[in-house]
Amino acid sequence: MSESCNLTNLQSIPLTPTAQEAYKPTVYESALPQNVERPSYRNRMILTDLTVDIPESHRVPKDAPATPPKARWGTLEFRTYIAVACVMIPVMTWIPISLSLESHPNYKFYERRLSPGWIPFRKVDNSDAQYRSFRNNFWLLTTLATAYLSIKYLWKRLGTAPPQDNTYLIRYNLFFSVFFLLGLHGTSFFKILIILSLNYSIARFCGDRKIGPVLTWVFNAAVLFANDRFNGYRYGDLLPSLEVLDGYQGAYSRWHIVYNLTMLRLVSFNIDYYWACNTSTSKEHNRNRTMTYAERMFPHPPQMYTFLSYLSYALYPPLYLAGPIMTFNDYLWQHRQSMNISGCAKVLYCIRLIASVLTMELILHFMYVVAIKDTSAWDSATPAQISMIGFWNLIIVWLKLLIPWRFFRLWALMDGIEVPENMVRCMANNYSTLGFWRSWHRSYNLWIIRYACLLHINISLCY
């Protein structure tokens, strides 16, 4: 294999600052995917430490001054901004509330879509099907996460842990995943297992050959189309004698919908293994410090890409249903060398989740904009009212995706696994299409850069 095909350097491109960039630690620092110091003038906690705190938000330009510029809050420009905000934000909030009053003439057109709420004298607009499925099962998911973490705690207490790493916990992750998927998808779990086995066979058979990534993409794309075409398949259609297996579909029979995310993990494993086979040396890291995100992209020795680790990664319970997405190399590194996420960081992230959920609940109880939109109940509405119906619908779309992603990421953090944060900007805080996409589904954006863009570069260099 030629030097041009050695991907050790290419794999570290995605993507975040290196460990040498200067940060000053804050109370939230240990939950960040980078173990770096902040600038000397970032020596205290600020609001974004409780809202959005990722490495990119603290990246220091090379030409940045040694001291921060003077604050502009007292200038005429910023005083004007504050005055406009103090007037317009309450107006933008009151308009959808006024449209949601029982006394409004259009209330009778969408009242049937409202449900009883937990806030006194208010109904709740629980008509969005996507968020309703999460909201109605919130406490069930919380119970499941608590059971997973509690059993794992006992597993660690009763077992004999190796002194240096947590790779022994990979078995527990897989053990819990099997029972989790049997309850969730019933006998369809065996369909998933067959697909995962075939994908693993492609990786092992191809090894370091360039045909491996090509077959991986072709196979997984074909499975996605087949899943959709045959609606997840039925055992009876494949073999009449197996029709009895169709009798137990689990709590969620549409396994092929969730599989769309699983497919991303299958591609990640195969290509990470392909890169590992094409890397002459493996990288070792200092165990006295936390690894950076870029370092966790480096490959492992090929013999560590086992079927057990592969299944544990692909079916990892906290991230199985909705993500966020992490790479196989990242998953395995965090078991070989733990992230040491502090309890304070976990509590702060939990507070962020609770604040997001309560914000969503207040909106759904006082602004029935989803029901108004779905029933077109905007007769005689003014342009300002119609614009606010659209604006607050977009806010709800943002929140209904942010809350599940934040919930499952918190579950992973409580398990000691740090994954990329999705939704790092509010819907109303974007200034370009590129910036919007990068911050909306950040983990998927990193996945595309690594397994589409960098893979294309790699294959081009090899040829």
Side-chain angles (χ1 to χ4, degrees):
M1 185 61 61
S2 65
E3 287 296 324
S4 62
C5 295
N6 191 315
L7 299 181
T8 303
N9 294 327
L10 271 179
Q11 292 176 69
S12 62
I13 291 177
L15 305 102
T16 56
T18 62
Q20 287 72 30
E21 291 183 284
Y23 283 16
K24 187 78 172 180
T26 67
V27 68
Y28 193 63
E29 182 265 352
S30 57
L32 301 175
Q34 295 280 32
N35 183 32
V36 288
E37 295 184 354
R38 301 186 183 185
S40 58
Y41 53 82
R42 273 288 276 119
N43 57 4
R44 62 187 178 85
M45 189 174 180
I46 60 175
L47 181 61
T48 55
D49 291 324
L50 290 174
T51 54
V52 175
D53 200 343
I54 60 173
E56 289 83 349
S57 65
H58 300 291
R59 183 175 295 181
V60 181
K62 293 181 179 179
D63 58 349
T67 58
K70 184 179 179 181
R72 300 174 62 189
W73 292 106
T75 64
L76 178 60
E77 177 187 5
F78 271 70
R79 288 178 179 176
T80 303
Y81 295 154
I82 293 171
V84 172
C86 289
V87 173
M88 294 309 302
I89 292 178
V91 170
M92 294 170 66
T93 304
W94 170 248
I95 288 176
I97 292 177
S98 65
L99 294 173
S100 304
L101 298 175
E102 293 185 18
S103 57
H104 195 277
N106 293 335
Y107 182 81
K108 59 181 179 292
F109 297 123
Y110 62 82
E111 182 181 11
R112 68 183 185 277
R113 300 186 67 88
L114 306 180
S115 307
W118 57 268
I119 296 180
F121 312 112
R122 295 298 301 180
K123 293 184 178 182
V124 61
D125 185 357
N126 199 28
S127 57
D128 184 277
Q130 189 176 21
Y131 185 70
R132 182 172 63 244
S133 63
F134 175 82
R135 185 177 185 270
N136 292 350
N137 292 288
F138 179 81
W139 294 113
L140 177 62
L141 289 170
T142 303
T143 302
L144 179 66
T146 304
Y148 171 87
L149 296 170
S150 300
I151 298 173
K152 193 167 192 176
Y153 174 78
L154 294 176
W155 181 291
K156 291 190 288 187
R157 294 281 293 183
L158 299 177
T160 302
Q164 289 188 328
D165 61 35
N166 291 324
T167 52
Y168 74 104
L169 294 175
I170 288 177
R171 293 181 179 273
Y172 170 79
N173 295 343
L174 181 57
F175 172 80
F176 192 93
S177 296
V178 170
F179 289 96
F180 173 54
L181 265 69
L182 284 173
L184 186 66
H185 299 315
T187 54
S188 293
F189 167 70
F190 301 108
K191 304 173 189 175
I192 300 173
L193 190 59
I194 291 173
I195 295 173
L196 266 60
S197 300
L198 292 174
N199 181 76
Y200 182 79
S201 300
I202 292 174
R204 299 296 291 188
F205 175 76
C206 295
D208 62 351
R209 289 178 287 180
K210 292 188 286 291
I211 192 64
V214 176
L215 288 179
T216 294
W217 275 102
V218 171
F219 170 76
N220 283 282
V223 169
L224 285 184
F225 283 110
N227 287 350
D228 183 68
R229 172 65 178 82
F230 298 103
N231 198 30
Y233 324 107
R234 288 181 57 85
Y235 286 107
D237 295 335
L238 300 174
L239 196 63
S241 60
L242 298 178
E243 188 174 4
V244 65
L245 296 176
D246 293 320
Y248 178 59
Q249 297 294 316
Y252 186 72
S253 60
R254 302 180 68 197
W255 66 271
H256 53 288
I257 302 300
V258 181
Y259 177 82
N260 293 342
L261 275 176
T262 305
M263 171 264 186
L264 302 180
R265 292 187 278 270
L266 303 194
V267 171
S268 173
F269 174 86
N270 281 22
I271 297 180
D272 281 356
Y273 177 68
Y274 163 74
W275 279 333
C277 292
N278 282 283
T279 302
S280 57
T281 58
S282 61
K283 188 176 180 65
E284 295 297 330
H285 297 281
N286 184 357
R287 293 185 176 275
N288 296 323
R289 67 172 180 84
T290 303
M291 295 177 64
T292 66
Y293 177 81
E295 289 173 332
R296 300 199 305 268
M297 295 301 103
F298 281 100
H300 306 268
Q303 62 270 22
M304 297 196 71
Y305 291 76
T306 64
F307 189 60
L308 181 68
S309 299
Y310 164 69
L311 290 180
S312 175
Y313 161 70
L315 306 177
Y316 182 51
L319 307 181
Y320 175 76
L321 287 173
I325 304 161
M326 69 184 306
T327 69
F328 175 81
N329 283 350
D330 191 359
Y331 176 80
L332 192 53
W333 272 122
Q334 292 194 51
H335 282 85
R336 292 180 64 187
Q337 185 172 338
S338 62
M339 291 295 294
N340 298 319
I341 303 171
S342 70
C344 182
K346 296 174 183 178
V347 170
L348 287 176
Y349 199 82
C350 184
I351 292 173
R352 292 173 60 190
L353 172 63
I354 294 172
S356 301
V357 172
L358 291 178
T359 300
M360 183 65 148
E361 287 298 303
L362 288 174
I363 292 174
L364 296 181
H365 277 80
F366 289 92
M367 302 179 186
Y368 304 145
V369 290
V370 176
I372 293 173
K373 179 256 300 179
D374 291 341
T375 58
S376 302
W378 47 58
D379 288 347
S380 70
T382 65
Q385 291 173 331
I386 292 177
S387 66
M388 287 301 100
I389 292 172
F391 175 81
W392 285 99
N393 264 284
L394 291 176
I395 292 292
I396 290 174
V397 169
W398 170 64
L399 280 171
K400 77 174 184 179
L401 296 175
L402 176 143
I403 291 172
W405 277 332
R406 190 164 287 182
F407 175 90
F408 291 116
R409 186 173 187 268
L410 174 63
W411 183 354
L413 284 176
M414 298 297 290
D415 193 33
I417 299 295
E418 196 280 329
V419 296
E421 174 85 273
N422 286 335
M423 294 290 197
V424 295
R425 280 182 179 270
C426 175
M427 182 280 302
N429 187 28
N430 288 278
Y431 310 99
S432 69
T433 304
L434 180 62
F436 171 80
W437 165 247
R438 285 177 171 176
S439 62
W440 183 267
H441 204 323
R442 179 170 171 265
S443 65
Y444 184 42
N445 179 60
L446 294 176
W447 185 93
I448 290 175
I449 292 173
R450 180 171 173 82
Y451 298 112
C453 301
L454 290 184
L455 179 64
H456 173 73
I457 294 172
N458 162 48
I459 294 177
S460 300
L461 289 176
C462 289
Y463 280 109

